[in-house]
Amino acid sequence: MDRFLNHTLSKLKDTHSYRTLPDQVSGSDASLIVFNTNDYLGLTTDYSRIQAGLAAANHYGAGATGSRLLSGQYPTLCDLESALSIRLGKSALVVNSGYHANTGLLGCLPQRSDLILADRACHASLIDGARLSAATFKRYRHTDYDHLGYLIQKHRANYNRLFIVTESLFSMTGASCNFERLIQLKCDAKAQLIVDEAHAVGCYGPSGMGLADAHHILDAVDIIIGTFGKAWGSMGAFIGGSPELRDYLINRCRPFIYSTALPPFVAGVNLATVTQNHSQHQLALATLTRYCHTTLPTGCSPTAKHHIVPLPVGCPEKALAYTHALAQQGIIATAIRHPTVPKHTDLIRISLRANHRLSDIDQLATAWHSIQT
Ligand SMILES: Cc1ncc(COP(=O)(O)O)c(C=O)c1O
């Protein structure tokens, strides 16, 4: 066993892919400028949400005491699902994390006679879900809808149902999907479109439901996944779809059935978050996003400038060296390396927060230019 572990670990070290836990907790040191959290709206420490969580915990206890189907059902969770449902125009089921949502949904919905076509850059939770499924699973090139169209034409006739799976805003590349192309393809192929809005929820849309909400096309997306762990600064996730899908998931989605429900504190925080208006936070984030893309060489297309900002580097050694060099100047940003991204597309991932200052971005730009020379 030790031989296997040591062999694997030294291979990771040889390929500059070895991971270690960071020394400090992000955000705890005020002298650092932190660009590596998913707290896009800066809500994690918001007082009113914490109070709402405490009120729920005082009322219902520290834990849910069981899964939702057993003893873990309590009013705050039901209220949270109703609030989500109103905003999505769909039925909503709350689960414990985005990882549970994606592995649970894809693990139980597509069947042996079905086909899943997913964007190559989809998050590990979507990939793991597709692998759990008995359906055939293929990937199309990242945001390449001609390639998706080609795969549909080649394979659609051999399968019963087709599920097209994408993120709306890709967590690692900062690119966004093209809803117009996806909806056209899904309609032509009589497919189901599944969109993971993990990194867009909260940041976009009049109801804060993400990019589909911002484009006013929520009804054209069959199934939508959102998480509370990122812009909404908490934890948990939801799956939005038809009432029949919700019923099916309650009966078949294994992470939902076999895991203790979210604790009341978390449900209370999440309910307060969904019912708050975050348009000011969204505006602040949009201003920072525009500024960051004009100040740094992000290489993003004009239609894909979001708060996840990739700074291309191209090799894992350089990505690690840049992260260390930035840290020495008090700037925390994460190196994203192969296999998380394809070979030679290694990058530094900058994630913006609504409560960053423009001067934080100036400091990042100065540091970035200084480490290039
Ligand atoms: C696109 C996407 N979906 C799902 C998840 C998992 O969400 P959670 O952290 O709530 O498990 C992540 C996490 O980073 C993600 O990036």
Side-chain angles (χ1 to χ4, degrees), residues 216-339:
H216 307 289
I217 45 113
L218 274 167
D219 56 344
V221 175
D222 299 286
I223 301 175
I224 189 163
I225 297 112
T227 55
F228 291 99
K230 304 184 193 306
W232 279 340
S234 166
M235 73 172 294
F238 64 83
I239 303 170
S242 66
E244 293 80 7
L245 176 76
R246 183 172 183 276
D247 266 2
Y248 178 84
L249 291 173
I250 289 169
N251 285 278
R252 282 286 181 271
C253 177
R254 294 174 71 84
F256 174 82
I257 298 168
Y258 296 110
S259 195
T260 302
L262 284 177
F265 177 84
V266 172
V269 169
N270 293 347
L271 176 59
T273 308
V274 171
T275 49
Q276 280 169 355
N277 180 328
H278 297 124
S279 53
Q280 288 308 314
H281 296 75
Q282 287 186 352
L283 263 176
L285 189 62
T287 304
L288 285 160
T289 298
R290 272 193 304 277
Y291 189 66
C292 189
H293 282 275
T294 52
T295 313
L296 280 145
T298 65
C300 294
S301 76
T303 52
K305 295 192 176 190
H306 300 286
H307 53 275
I308 297 173
V309 183
L311 297 175
V313 173
C315 79
E317 297 93 318
K318 237 180 170 180
L320 275 185
Y322 281 13
T323 299
H324 290 134
L326 286 171
Q328 277 169 350
Q329 302 193 42
I331 291 172
I332 307 301
T334 307
I336 307 293
R337 291 167 283 159
H338 176 76

Side-chain angles (χ1 to χ4, degrees), residues 38 40 95-102 121-126 166-172 196-199 225-230 234-237 308 349:
N38 295 325
Y40 305 124
V95 295
N96 291 1
S97 72
Y99 193 86
H100 275 194
N102 288 337
C122 275
H123 187 256
S125 54
L126 292 163
T166 185
E167 291 178 36
S168 61
L169 170 55
F170 286 87
S171 57
M172 293 301 148
D196 182 343
E197 293 265 17
H199 293 270
I225 297 112
T227 55
F228 291 99
K230 304 184 193 306
S234 166
M235 73 172 294
I308 297 173
R349 178 185 189 267

Side-chain angles (χ1 to χ4, degrees), residues 111-177:
Q111 303 296 303
R112 190 170 298 283
S113 55
D114 298 333
L115 173 64
I116 302 170
L117 293 176
D119 188 293
R120 189 167 283 286
C122 275
H123 187 256
S125 54
L126 292 163
I127 304 304
D128 291 357
R131 286 183 179 147
L132 280 172
S133 159
T136 302
F137 169 43
K138 296 181 188 296
R139 298 204 239 178
Y140 58 92
R141 289 191 290 266
H142 183 34
T143 63
D144 183 341
Y145 303 105
D146 291 338
H147 189 220
L148 173 59
Y150 165 80
L151 291 177
I152 290 174
Q153 214 166 31
K154 187 163 173 205
H155 299 290
R156 177 69 183 97
N158 302 328
Y159 294 93
N160 178 20
R161 294 179 303 171
L162 167 63
F163 295 91
I164 299 174
V165 179
T166 185
E167 291 178 36
S168 61
L169 170 55
F170 286 87
S171 57
M172 293 301 148
T173 66
S176 43
C177 71

Side-chain angles (χ1 to χ4, degrees), residues 64-73 255-262:
T65 77
S67 76
R68 298 270 304 273
L69 284 164
L70 298 174
S71 57
Q73 180 81 329
F256 174 82
I257 298 168
Y258 296 110
S259 195
T260 302
L262 284 177

